[in-house]
Amino acid sequence: MLKIENLTITYRRDGRVLADHFNMTLQPEDKAVLIGEEGNGKSTLLKWIHDPLLISSYADAEGTCIKDHETTGYLPQQLPEEDENRTVYEYFLEEEQFSACGAKELNDLAFFLHIPSEIFYSDQIMKTLSGGEKIRIQMARILLARPTVLLLDEPSNDLDLEALNWLEEMIQKTEQAVLFISHDEVLISNTANRVIHMELLKRKTQSRITQASLSYEDYKEQREQLFDKQMQKAVWDRRADRERMERFQRIQQRVNHELNTVSRQDPHSGFLLKKKMHAVKALEKRFEKERENMTEIPEQEEAIGFRFSDRCAVAGGKRILDLQMEELRLPEGKLLAKDIELHVSGPAHICIIGNNGCGKTTLLRKIAEELLLRNDIKAAYMPQHYEDLLDLSLSPVQFLAKGREKDDVTKARQYLGAMRYTTDEMEHPMKELSGGQKAKVLLLKMNLDEANVLILDEPTRNFSPLSSPVIRDMIASFKGCVISVSHDRLYIGQCADEVYLLNETGLHRVDDPSAENS
């Protein structure tokens, strides 16, 4: 059993409180998902549980994590920089239990993780692995240490559809307690038996963490029901208070009038009226007390409010892409696929799927290179790694308002406000933002530039399960052309008119993407 007592975490940068006297107990049978909007401190909480030193450079924490006989295995959101240039074999050697493992144990682990057993001794450099391969390799090293609690920060981010099915099964069947962060709503729905919801209310100045031993779907339903019930009670209380005060004011005005008009020759009536006024004053105090105890108007963290402009439309007959490639290779020469052909016209919404390492990102990058040079369309590209396009030393306002004109700055702030940025977040360097907040900046830039062709590499990968439905609606309703890569099952179903599977023999249109990876 892992226990957190009286934890308060505060960002040094702006004094924002991410957790306020938070208490939690994680039981051995728990498969708990940590949800919340981008930048609310989910990753920070996970790091602190594993090792408080991981957040010591940017946050202050007070509280206790009682692990008793528990040991934690932590999967970070990104492979640590110091591991990127190690070979896979060198990476495993960093875990002292690796050398003590026999062939059978390694083979069993490889089978469980769906990786080849010889991978443990590979000379391949870690940074050259696909995103999904890195996740499985990291999970293998974590499990070699035999932790009793798994802390997983976005384990689903770079997994293909087949690997997502594996991850679901692993979380369901593993003996360890699991606390994980994920943006994949299907994964959450299929695995979590407990929800821990981190919110920042009142313009991100007040922390609220809700815990529920429910499935994600049940939690969402209960949350809405409680919100609606409290809102109805709050509205009724205020209506009753208003009616009560109107009656009180009429009584008070009548007594005041009688006091002002009573004859001095009638002291008995004056005495009775003064007594009556004392009763009115006592009634007023009682009403004030009741007003203090009125049901509060419930508050939820607001969803982002943003839509692409209708000016970003593209004509139905417009030829967007005629791609023919004999070969697709990595920069170092490795052959990924042959005979690739893709034709796109008008406001089509295309999604490319495929196994990890098959070349989807490489292909999308080549498509972007071609379309960004065109003058007859306005193309915009969201890479998997936002740093490829963002100058992280700039603030979001500086990046969006390139002209620095007053109107440009005002418009940038207005758009950022719609994406639920605080004033501080608008002005801080983007290196201090979460992945989801950086993604929002790129989406806003696309809209400000009136791009009518969007080239998107995993567009929902860094959005919370609360923001993702809004992002999907934005892209699905976009009147321009979308060419994307995604493993997000809900995104594929909602945003793609056509789905293509990339493998070594080229691109192949599929009608049922889930069947391709079942």
Side-chain angles (χ1 to χ4, degrees), residues 12 14 41 43 73 176 244 294-295 299 407 437 444 474 476:
R12 285 200 207 102
D14 53 15
S43 294
Q176 291 95 338
R244 186 169 56 227
M294 275 196 303
T295 304
E299 187 172 357
D407 288 347
Q437 290 170 310
L444 290 175
M474 283 170 50

Side-chain angles (χ1 to χ4, degrees), residues 156-200:
S156 57
N157 250 4
D158 293 302
L159 299 184
D160 57 35
L161 298 178
E162 179 188 5
L164 283 169
N165 291 330
W166 157 78
L167 180 62
E168 287 180 6
E169 185 178 351
M170 190 210 78
I171 293 175
Q172 290 164 350
K173 293 184 176 180
T174 187
E175 297 176 354
Q176 291 95 338
V178 182
L179 177 60
F180 70 100
I181 301 168
S182 179
H183 298 152
D184 190 310
E185 295 159 81
V186 177
L187 173 74
I188 294 171
S189 296
N190 290 345
T191 58
N193 60 17
R194 186 171 170 199
V195 177
I196 301 168
H197 186 177
M198 299 181 71
E199 295 178 274
L200 290 176

